[in-house]
Amino acid sequence: MIIGSGPAGYTAAIYASRANMSPVLYQGTQPGGQLTTTNEVENYPGYKDGVTGPEMMIEFQEQAKRFGTDIRDGWVTKVDFSGEIHKVWVNETKEIHCDTVIIATGASAKYLGLPSEQKYLQMGGGVSACAVCDGFFYRNQEVVIVGGGDSACEEAHYLSKLCKKVTMLVRRDEFRASKIMQARVKNTKNIEIMYNTLTEEVLGDGQVVTGVKVKNKISGKVTEIPATGFFVAIGHKPNTDIFKDFLELDETGYIINVPGTSKTNIEGVFVSGDAADHVYRQAVTAAGTGCMAALDAERYLAAKDANFEVSTSTYN
Ligand SMILES: Cc1cc2nc3c(=O)[nH]c(=O)nc-3n(C[C@H](O)[C@H](O)[C@H](O)COP(=O)(O)OP(=O)(O)OC[C@H]3O[C@@H](n4cnc5c(N)ncnc54)[C@H](O)[C@@H]3O)c2cc1C
């Protein structure tokens, strides 16, 4: 059973179906995963001219289908990993028993929730939660990034190498980030840091972002910053709540895997993609770990079969 239909889930499905493991894949409420919300993917190897996220994910799906993956609609609402057979409930009613489970439920970027932010996000007009994915589109332009943690500092620093100017909006009077990450942004000439600053509105011409209206929490002063890109770096939420009674999660909710593998603390349950990755969060790394999960599952099943054969021949 594979839970999730992003790059991790479909890659696991391609490997598992080619290994005759008869995978069943549940797509969840976002068939194709996070990439279906982006117009341009330019960094996935093999697409030399770039590709839209939805097109790319249809190709992943078709490839998984070609080898016989059973792709189904449905949302996994509950699991029970307490026994040797893993139990999974779909849409609260359908109970499925599986030998192995590959979790590929991804993560969701957090946004501020401002109507103007959501408007330009939906339109693909200059709002992004991924500097590594979208920074390239803002080369030599001025951008704004909101956030005060390690990720925000890392993304601001990444953008500073591509963009003319990066304005960083920090809600409090100091960073939450580690000292070393703070030093990195503070020592970068084209990053301007604005503390005690709240985002009031993402400004635009109806099609694309043209600036950001901000307010100083202390003075109440409102300023408009010209910018063509608005990056949100206030964290991600992994989609792992349903696993928390059985799997080890870190403090943010990412599933903890055995380093260098896709194994979790439960035998026969494997994890891939953004559900276990708070560092890279890219389609290609998700696909890579999807491959690892299918291979780990295959080896797990082979070892189980071998043990079964040994024990039955002993008793016969
Ligand atoms: C706007 C945007 C642009 C991006 N651009 C790029 C880019 O250009 N290049 C790049 O490499 N990366 C990019 N990324 C990052 C990339 O999309 C992710 O790293 C990647 O999609 C993670 O893949 P995943 O398979 O782990 O999970 P996801 O793509 O998050 O997919 C998760 C899947 O799990 C399903 N699911 C979740 N919970 C359940 C459940 N309970 N039951 C059943 N199904 C469930 C969902 O329906 C979904 O299908 C971008 C991300 C965003 C948001």
Side-chain angles (χ1 to χ4, degrees), residues 236-248:
H236 283 74
K237 175 158 183 3
N239 305 316
T240 57
D241 286 354
I242 51 169
F243 308 112
K244 67 177 188 305
D245 292 340
F246 301 96
L247 298 185
E248 282 175 15

Side-chain angles (χ1 to χ4, degrees), residues 3-9 26-35 37-38 40-43 74-76 104-107 111 130 133-134 239 242 272-275 281-284 286:
I3 312 175
S5 57
Y26 274 94
Q27 291 188 305
T29 50
Q30 192 178 41
Q34 292 174 63
L35 277 187
T37 64
T38 184
E40 279 170 294
V41 181
E42 291 195 325
N43 54 9
W75 182 252
V76 173
T105 49
Y111 290 92
C130 181
C133 312
D134 296 329
N239 305 316
I242 51 169
S272 57
D274 286 12
R281 291 194 295 249
Q282 293 295 293
V284 71

Side-chain angles (χ1 to χ4, degrees), residues 13-310:
I14 292 163
Y15 276 78
S17 50
R18 290 189 77 247
N20 278 340
M21 290 162 74
S22 313
V24 168
L25 179 148
Y26 274 94
Q27 291 188 305
T29 50
Q30 192 178 41
Q34 292 174 63
L35 277 187
T36 56
T37 64
T38 184
N39 282 330
E40 279 170 294
V41 181
E42 291 195 325
N43 54 9
Y44 198 89
Y47 293 94
K48 71 177 175 47
D49 300 319
V51 61
T52 71
E55 270 176 306
M56 182 169 136
M57 293 319 298
I58 285 171
E59 293 199 9
F60 271 61
Q61 181 181 341
E62 292 304 314
Q63 196 174 350
K65 258 193 200 161
R66 185 180 146 210
F67 300 110
T69 305
D70 180 353
I71 299 171
R72 301 181 186 174
D73 290 336
W75 182 252
V76 173
T77 44
K78 193 173 112 179
V79 297
D80 180 351
F81 295 155
S82 60
E84 198 178 330
I85 292 293
H86 303 307
K87 296 178 186 163
V88 171
W89 282 262
V90 179
N91 299 336
E92 283 176 1
T93 47
K94 193 178 173 88
E95 180 178 334
I96 300 183
H97 292 189
C98 349
D99 292 314
T100 62
V101 177
I102 294 178
I103 297 168
T105 49
S108 310
K110 292 184 193 162
Y111 290 92
L112 298 175
L114 297 169
S116 55
E117 170 206 59
Q118 291 303 307
K119 174 178 158 188
Y120 288 104
L121 175 68
Q122 308 302 333
M123 293 171 67
V127 172
S128 170
C130 181
V132 176
C133 312
D134 296 329
F136 188 76
F137 302 120
Y138 300 91
R139 270 167 306 156
N140 304 320
Q141 300 174 37
E142 298 191 9
V143 298
V144 170
I145 181 165
V146 55
D150 275 345
S151 296
C153 290
E154 194 165 315
E155 301 217 349
H157 190 250
Y158 181 88
L159 290 169
S160 72
K161 288 185 271 167
L162 297 165
C163 304
K164 193 154 77 181
K165 183 178 175 195
V166 179
T167 305
M168 213 176 165
L169 310 180
V170 182
R171 197 160 42 101
R172 301 192 302 171
D173 58 356
E174 57 178 3
F175 279 102
R176 260 187 309 109
S178 57
K179 292 274 180 280
I180 187 157
M181 295 305 293
Q182 292 187 34
R184 199 182 283 178
V185 290
K186 286 176 182 168
N187 294 332
T188 304
K189 271 202 191 119
N190 61 340
I191 299 182
E192 183 186 345
I193 302 161
M194 295 174 75
Y195 295 102
N196 293 311
T197 302
L198 303 174
T199 309
E200 293 259 288
E201 190 183 346
V202 178
L203 305 170
D205 62 5
Q207 306 254 298
V208 293
V209 170
T210 55
V212 183
K213 191 198 276 186
V214 300
K215 184 177 177 181
N216 185 290
K217 264 189 345 187
I218 312 291
S219 66
K221 190 177 167 209
V222 174
T223 319
E224 289 187 8
I225 308 165
T228 48
F230 180 67
F231 287 85
V232 187
I234 56 173
H236 283 74
K237 175 158 183 3
N239 305 316
T240 57
D241 286 354
I242 51 169
F243 308 112
K244 67 177 188 305
D245 292 340
F246 301 96
L247 298 185
E248 282 175 15
L249 309 180
D250 72 10
E251 66 282 358
T252 324
Y254 287 95
I255 296 171
I256 298 174
N257 58 307
V258 176
T261 76
S262 67
K263 294 176 189 169
T264 66
N265 57 302
I266 300 278
E267 282 214 355
V269 178
F270 305 92
V271 64
S272 57
D274 286 12
D277 176 12
H278 63 280
V279 181
Y280 302 106
R281 291 194 295 249
Q282 293 295 293
V284 71
T285 46
T289 53
C291 157
M292 288 165 65
L295 294 179
D296 285 341
E298 205 261 326
R299 282 168 199 163
Y300 166 78
L301 287 176
K304 223 172 132 183
D305 284 350
N307 284 342
F308 179 73
E309 275 159 26
V310 169

